[in-house]
């Protein structure tokens, strides 16, 4: 038989049982539509997750913190006399009191980390495989002196692109690299009394003194807490007077209107020194002068969404200075060479290297945070959810295949005599097999493309609902264009899968039809 005759015979058979074949094709359509829609949602969600992470610009960065491994030794570094428990008690209670003494001592003493992030350690990290950059945190709590007044604040080194700073600079210009220039926050000038535009412009070009890394417990402004006084803005003269008052306080007790017993109690309290950690040191402050060349504002989270990454680049202090100047300035402090930086950022050469470097950091006892690792976890979770949805869709497709097999078996029984006639006039087994396989493939082809069409149509109301839910849950999050994504491999692969599956489903009935004996078939009623 000619191929054309086989195709026409298959089409005639499908037209003869219209309702049955339409229902069978509908089953394939529903299965493919479910599969395509679930895969499209999975692809879309994965893209949304990855786009959200990529906007962070930190996928290959690892934030490293000092290694605190005190859990391995509960009382490590604590003086023995601090842990001495006095009195008679049982061992369980003695141990509880001992732990509480250790907890109280740690609360009052800041010990250096067993694995500090010192400049020497930073150089070691820079020599690791796959590490292409190591950046220490360029931000310090400082005291800012300007026009005889002192304010507490933060000083940061800007590590981003200086050409983007004019978008948030209200007066002046960005600081030039390698200079002792600085830009200050407009609120800092407000604290100094600069209110009008002319008063702010008058601050440009003037010098501001930055002081940091002194020992906080020795600062004279701590005296103000006794009187519930405002310590946010002080003059240099006020600080000097408070320092002198602090030193003279024990001597002034004798002249106070107190009883002898009260004077004795006060002197005991003032002269009783706290127990110090042997590693505790007093650090002299480090200071430097900078020239104000600009005044910046805080980027609005709704209006300036494209500028929010400037905060990650260091635009979050009260005083911002160039990166190279900040590295040199902060590294001068003795505390940094001994206690190290609060955190550093490692950048690896590729996403695939992230896990290897993180494993090495973990093995060496450092704490770290890598947003890229969360992306891998998110990918895995989305993949598992997508697999569950795809599995349900495949079950629907499998049910449709059972319907195809049932249709084919019924067709073989109904067309037994027709098959006998065809064989009697010269049709071979392979012709009969090809005819029935063609019918199954045609059902799959039509059902597959209809399924893709239905899945595409369903995506419009589905997108509307999904995007509305995202907007309600995350109103500040940039909205994705769509949750449904249809790559070409999905559009053309789904109908191809339907053809393969329906052809295989019709294989067993087709083989049974091909084995029908002509004599037996012609006798069938």
């Amino acid at each position: 038989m000619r191929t054309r005759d086989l195709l026409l015979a298959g089409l005639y058979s499908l037209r003869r049982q219209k309702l049955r074949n339409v229902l069978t094709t509908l089953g394939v359509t529903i299965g493919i539509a479910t599969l395509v829609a679930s895969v499209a949602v999975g692809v879309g969600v994965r893209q949304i997750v990855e786009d959200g992470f990529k906007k962070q610009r930190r996928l290959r960065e690892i934030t490293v913190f000092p290694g605190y491994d005190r859990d391995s030794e509960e009382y490590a570094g604590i003086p023995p006399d601090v842990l001495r428990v006095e009195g008679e008690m049982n061992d369980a209670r003695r141990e509880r009191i001992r732990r509480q003494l250790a907890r109280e001592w740690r609360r009052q003493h800041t010990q250096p980390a067993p694995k500090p992030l010192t400049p020497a350690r930073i150089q070691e990290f820079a020599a690791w495989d796959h590490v292409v950059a190591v950046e220490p945190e360029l931000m310090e709590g400082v005291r800012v002196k300007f026009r005889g007044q002192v304010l507490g604040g933060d000083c940061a080194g800007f590590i981003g692109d200086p050409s983007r700073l004019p978008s948030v600079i209200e007066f002046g210009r960005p600081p030039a690299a390698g200079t002792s220039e600085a830009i200050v926050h407009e609120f800092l000038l407000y604290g100094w009394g600069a209110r009008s535009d002319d008063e702010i412009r008058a601050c440009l070009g003037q010098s501001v003194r930055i002081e940091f890394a002194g020992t906080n417990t020795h600062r004279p402004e701590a005296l103000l807490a006794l009187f519930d006084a405002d310590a946010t803005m002080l003059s240099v003269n006020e600080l000097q007077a408070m320092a002198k008052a602090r030193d003279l306080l024990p001597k002034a007790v004798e002249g106070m209107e107190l009883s002898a017993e009260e004077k004795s109690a006060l002197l005991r309290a003032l002269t009783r020194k706290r127990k110090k950690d042997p590693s505790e040191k007093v650090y002299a402050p480090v200071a430097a002068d900078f020239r104000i060349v600009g005044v910046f504002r805080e980027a609005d989270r709704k209006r300036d969404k494209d500028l929010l990454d400037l905060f990650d680049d260091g635009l979050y202090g009260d005083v911002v200075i160039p990166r190279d100047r900040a590295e040199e300035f902060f590294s001068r402090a003795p505390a940094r060479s001994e206690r190290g930086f609060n955190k550093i950022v490692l950048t690896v050469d590729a996403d695939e290297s992230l896990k290897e470097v993180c494993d090495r950091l973990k093995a060496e006892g450092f704490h770290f945070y890598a947003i890229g690792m969360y992306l891998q976890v998110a990918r895995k979770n989305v993949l598992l959810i997508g697999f569950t949805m795809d599995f349900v869709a495949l079950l629907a497709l499998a049910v449709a295949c059972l319907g195809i097999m049932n249709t084919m078996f019924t067709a073989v029984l109904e067309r037994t005599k027709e098959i006998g006639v065809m064989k009697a006039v010269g049709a071979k087994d392979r012709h009969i097999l090809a005819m029935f396989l063609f019918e199954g493939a045609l059902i799959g082809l039509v059902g597959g493309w209809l399924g893709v069409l239905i899945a595409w149509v369903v995506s419009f109301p589905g997108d509307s609902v999904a995007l509305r839910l995202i907007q309600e849950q995350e109103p500040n999050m940039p909205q994705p264009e769509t949750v449904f994504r249809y790559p070409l491999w999905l559009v053309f692969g789904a109908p191809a899968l339907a053809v393969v599956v329906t052809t295989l489903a019709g294989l067993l009935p087709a083989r049974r039809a091909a084995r029908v004996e002509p004599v037996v078939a012609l006798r069938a009623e």
Side-chain angles (χ1 to χ4, degrees), residues 53-61 164 309-310 312-313:
F53 276 97
K54 287 177 180 178
K55 287 178 181 178
Q56 300 291 330
R57 305 184 303 113
R58 307 295 184 187
L59 288 181
R60 293 190 292 114
E61 293 184 351
R164 301 183 62 201
D309 57 331
L310 291 176
D312 295 331
D313 293 332

Side-chain angles (χ1 to χ4, degrees), residues 355-368:
K355 187 177 186 304
E356 180 180 342
V357 177
C358 287
D359 289 343
R360 185 171 180 181
L361 287 169
K362 185 176 181 180
E364 297 203 8
F366 290 97
H367 300 287
F368 58 87

Side-chain angles (χ1 to χ4, degrees), residues 218-441:
H218 290 179
R219 290 187 173 180
E221 58 264 36
L223 187 66
L224 296 178
L226 297 174
F227 304 95
D228 196 25
D230 183 12
T232 56
M233 184 172 65
L234 301 169
S235 68
V236 175
N237 292 336
E238 289 171 340
L239 286 172
Q240 293 174 346
M242 283 187 287
K244 188 174 182 179
R246 178 196 61 194
D247 297 336
L248 294 176
L249 184 58
K251 298 178 182 179
V253 172
E254 290 297 330
M256 295 180 180
E257 295 182 0
L258 298 173
S259 66
E261 184 178 353
E262 291 172 334
K263 292 179 181 180
S264 176
L266 180 56
L267 283 172
R268 284 199 307 272
L270 292 175
T271 57
R272 184 168 55 241
K273 303 297 183 182
R274 66 186 181 92
K275 294 180 180 179
K276 294 185 178 181
D277 179 4
S279 63
E280 185 177 348
K281 297 182 180 180
V282 176
Y283 295 103
V286 175
D289 294 322
F290 292 86
R291 187 166 63 93
I292 300 175
V293 297
V295 180
F296 69 94
R297 63 175 175 84
E298 187 172 345
D300 186 87
R301 294 191 174 274
K302 293 184 178 180
R303 186 183 61 187
D304 304 320
K305 292 182 179 180
D306 57 331
L307 300 176
L308 294 182
D309 57 331
L310 291 176
F311 290 100
D312 295 331
D313 293 332
L315 195 71
Y316 51 82
D318 299 290
V319 180
V320 178
I321 59 179
R323 167 184 171 178
D324 50 357
R325 188 70 176 89
E327 290 180 350
E328 183 272 330
F329 179 41
F330 296 153
S331 297
R332 282 167 44 195
R336 286 293 158 260
S337 60
E338 297 177 15
R339 293 178 176 258
F341 291 89
N342 296 325
K343 66 180 181 180
I344 63 174
V345 177
L346 304 183
T347 304
V348 299
D349 53 7
D351 295 347
E352 296 76 16
S353 307
L354 198 65
K355 187 177 186 304
E356 180 180 342
V357 177
C358 287
D359 289 343
R360 185 171 180 181
L361 287 169
K362 185 176 181 180
E364 297 203 8
F366 290 97
H367 300 287
F368 58 87
Y369 166 81
I371 194 172
M373 297 298 291
Y374 287 90
L375 174 58
Q376 295 179 12
V377 173
R379 282 173 176 167
K380 185 185 298 182
N381 292 337
V382 172
L383 183 63
L384 290 175
I385 295 173
F387 172 77
T388 302
M389 297 171 61
D390 297 345
F391 182 74
V392 173
L394 287 173
L395 288 179
L397 187 59
V399 172
C401 291
L402 292 178
I404 293 174
M405 293 181 67
N406 179 64
T407 299
M408 292 295 188
F409 274 120
T410 305
V412 170
L413 293 176
E414 293 178 347
R415 296 160 60 187
T416 301
K417 189 171 182 178
E418 177 186 337
I419 293 171
V421 173
M422 293 176 66
K423 283 196 168 187
V425 297
K428 299 185 180 301
D429 290 352
R430 67 175 183 274
H431 296 146
I432 304 300
L433 181 67
M435 184 179 66
F436 277 87
L437 291 180
F438 168 73
E439 294 178 16

